[in-house]
Amino acid sequence: MATITLDHVDKLYPNGYHAITDANLDIRDGEFVILVGPSGCGKSTLLNMIAGLEDITGGELRFGDQVVNDLSARDRDIAMVFQSYALYPHMTVRENIEFPLKLSRMPKSEIQDKVAEVSASLGLDEYLDRKPAQLSGGQRQRVAMGRAIVRRPKVFLMDEPLSNLDAKLRVQMRAEIARLQQDLGVTTVYVTHDQTEAMTLGDRVVVMRKGVIQQAGSPDELYASPTNLFVASFIGSPSMNFMPGRLRGDVVSTGFGDIHLPESLVDAASRATSESVILGLRPEAFEDAYLVAPERRDQGMTISANLSLVESTGADRFVYFSPPEVEKPTDAARDAAREAGVDELGGELVARLTNATRVAGGDTMDLWFTPESLYLFDGETGESLRTDEVRAQ
């Protein structure tokens, strides 16, 4: 197996485009790491640099103690699984899986044993004599994975392998990939643009934007302690709500009125560079005030919401509303939000409630939340103030 170290890695194209900037990341032996971010953020470029398919223009890439910057892809002992499957159409499933073993001149008896083992683990036994054209998308993806697994490389690299599958099959294949990676214990780097996929699959998730690693941490760390506005808005579905606010001591003025900050946030507020802050509140932090036990109500804040839209998913109700008033954001706060991809501060908000709530668009209801669930971001920089976050490492 292998550890992977990115030490100030850069990718600069001849036309001056900086695709990857100062990437630093330590991937542990056997770890399942997800690279996630919007289209064009550099995640596939970074994966291709690890694979040896893209040149590194700065810094060092190491497998264990070996610098592999100039090592060809074939000499890195990696296996890749692509979105397009990349199967040989004229070969059967068996021939596709055994192909890399034949290239390595492995004895025929060993090849048969390894193909049988991989085929059984992926549920491909009944398809071994079929050709790719006779398979479904999910079956083709399993064949592509089998061809990668059969070699038992040091590193698996997967570039959006589930993008071509329908929603139900994606969930099924996610579970299969997670199980296989856990069973095999092979260091794996997986690229996706789907944050739900990233959060459910990885030991650790690396969030990227514009070629820069924004934060690396476990799914729980990214959700609970986002390092900046971008990570906070990208992780979580629906996305975090954001509102402008103004600090005055241990009180922050918002569209909901004045909120007295709990002790856990007073220290965070003291790190703000100005009175201007941006408040974040996850949709699931809200509760239907009618359903909150009386003994809990005094521990939080109740607001009146005029609902513009209600969506039901069966298990949840998503209610959309606007704050009664909007604290006018500073130009710097507005710019910090736009830079993070947050188009509007203090616009429509969303609460995620249980299906016990019976409301419809146009209704007015009371919503409840605790100040402890607030996130605070600097109104000048967009950096989180709430905790000492887990930084990209």
Side-chain angles (χ1 to χ4, degrees):
M1 307 304 175
T3 60
I4 302 173
T5 302
L6 283 73
D7 190 357
H8 299 285
V9 167
D10 280 317
K11 177 63 181 181
L12 181 64
Y13 286 101
N15 64 2
Y17 176 63
H18 218 148
I20 300 294
T21 303
D22 197 31
N24 293 283
L25 185 67
D26 292 318
I27 301 174
R28 296 182 286 273
D29 187 16
E31 190 175 22
F32 197 167
V33 168
I34 312 292
L35 305 181
V36 67
S39 296
C41 71
K43 54 189 183 294
S44 289
T45 300
L46 192 59
L47 189 81
N48 288 335
M49 292 165 75
I50 295 172
L53 303 177
E54 288 273 7
D55 293 333
I56 295 170
T57 53
E60 278 189 357
L61 173 65
R62 297 190 294 272
F63 284 12
D65 295 328
Q66 181 184 14
V67 177
V68 299
N69 289 40
D70 300 320
L71 201 64
S72 68
R74 65 180 298 173
D75 294 325
R76 295 191 185 190
D77 196 10
I78 57 104
M80 288 197 73
V81 179
F82 299 94
Q83 176 182 347
S84 61
Y85 315 136
L87 300 177
Y88 297 108
H90 62 287
M91 293 183 180
T92 64
V93 169
R94 185 192 309 277
E95 290 168 338
N96 267 282
I97 294 175
E98 68 186 15
F99 185 73
L101 303 182
K102 285 185 173 180
L103 285 181
S104 65
R105 301 183 183 277
M106 182 178 288
K108 189 173 182 179
S109 60
E110 286 187 43
I111 291 177
Q112 292 174 342
D113 290 342
K114 287 185 176 293
V115 170
E117 180 185 352
V118 168
S119 173
S121 69
L122 290 171
L124 292 172
D125 286 347
E126 62 182 293
Y127 309 112
L128 286 174
D129 295 320
R130 296 188 190 181
K131 292 186 176 179
Q134 300 171 293
L135 304 175
S136 68
Q139 290 161 352
R140 292 181 198 179
Q141 192 56 274
R142 277 187 279 165
V143 176
M145 289 176 59
R147 189 175 58 187
I149 291 167
V150 75
R151 285 183 41 234
R152 293 297 177 100
K154 289 182 179 178
V155 176
F156 284 145
L157 303 177
M158 301 187 182
D159 193 359
E160 303 209 41
L162 307 184
S163 294
N164 291 337
L165 306 182
D166 61 47
K168 183 177 180 180
L169 196 52
R170 283 174 72 109
V171 173
Q172 179 185 333
M173 287 298 295
R174 277 208 311 259
E176 289 189 20
I177 289 174
R179 176 184 57 80
L180 278 168
Q181 198 279 336
Q182 191 172 37
D183 290 345
L184 297 171
V186 177
T187 306
T188 302
V189 185
Y190 184 110
V191 162
T192 181
H193 65 275
D194 184 335
Q195 60 100 359
T196 301
E197 196 169 286
M199 297 289 276
T200 54
L201 268 178
D203 298 324
R204 202 152 46 110
V205 179
V206 179
V207 182
M208 297 185 65
R209 182 170 186 264
K210 294 183 177 180
V212 177
I213 293 176
Q214 302 289 313
Q215 186 174 358
S218 70
D220 287 344
E221 289 167 341
L222 294 182
Y223 180 86
S225 301
T227 192
N228 55 36
L229 279 173
F230 174 74
V231 177
S233 64
F234 191 81
I235 298 297
S237 180
S239 180
M240 184 183 287
N241 299 297
F242 297 102
M243 297 174 292
R246 188 166 298 278
L247 280 173
R248 294 180 177 87
D250 62 353
V251 174
V252 59
S253 299
T254 74
F256 296 143
D258 289 347
I259 300 176
H260 287 268
L261 294 175
E263 189 176 337
S264 59
L265 288 177
V266 171
D267 182 56
S270 70
R271 296 198 290 270
T273 57
S274 70
E275 288 185 348
S276 172
V277 293
I278 298 170
L279 285 86
L281 195 59
R282 293 206 179 274
E284 48 272 26
F286 289 103
E287 295 185 44
D288 182 343
Y290 178 76
L291 301 176
V292 176
E295 60 269 20
R296 290 182 61 214
R297 286 181 190 167
D298 290 343
Q299 301 169 20
M301 183 172 180
T302 300
I303 60 169
S304 178
N306 296 316
L307 308 185
S308 58
L309 177 67
V310 176
E311 295 177 337
S312 174
T313 63
D316 297 310
R317 296 267 193 277
F318 296 101
V319 301
Y320 295 82
F321 63 100
S322 297
E325 299 178 5
V326 178
E327 180 76 23
K328 185 177 179 181
T330 63
D331 290 341
R334 190 180 291 110
D335 291 344
R338 285 176 180 165
E339 175 61 22
V342 178
D343 294 329
E344 186 178 4
L345 284 176
E348 193 170 58
L349 310 178
V350 57
R352 182 177 189 169
L353 308 175
T354 70
N355 65 0
T357 295
R358 302 296 179 182
V359 290
D363 289 351
T364 298
M365 71 175 299
D366 287 340
L367 291 170
W368 181 89
F369 66 93
T370 65
E372 284 81 4
S373 60
L374 286 170
Y375 290 77
L376 285 178
F377 301 90
D378 192 283
E380 303 287 329
T381 66
E383 293 295 307
S384 176
L385 300 170
R386 181 177 173 180
T387 60
D388 296 325
E389 300 83 13
V390 178
R391 304 288 177 176
Q393 52 188 331

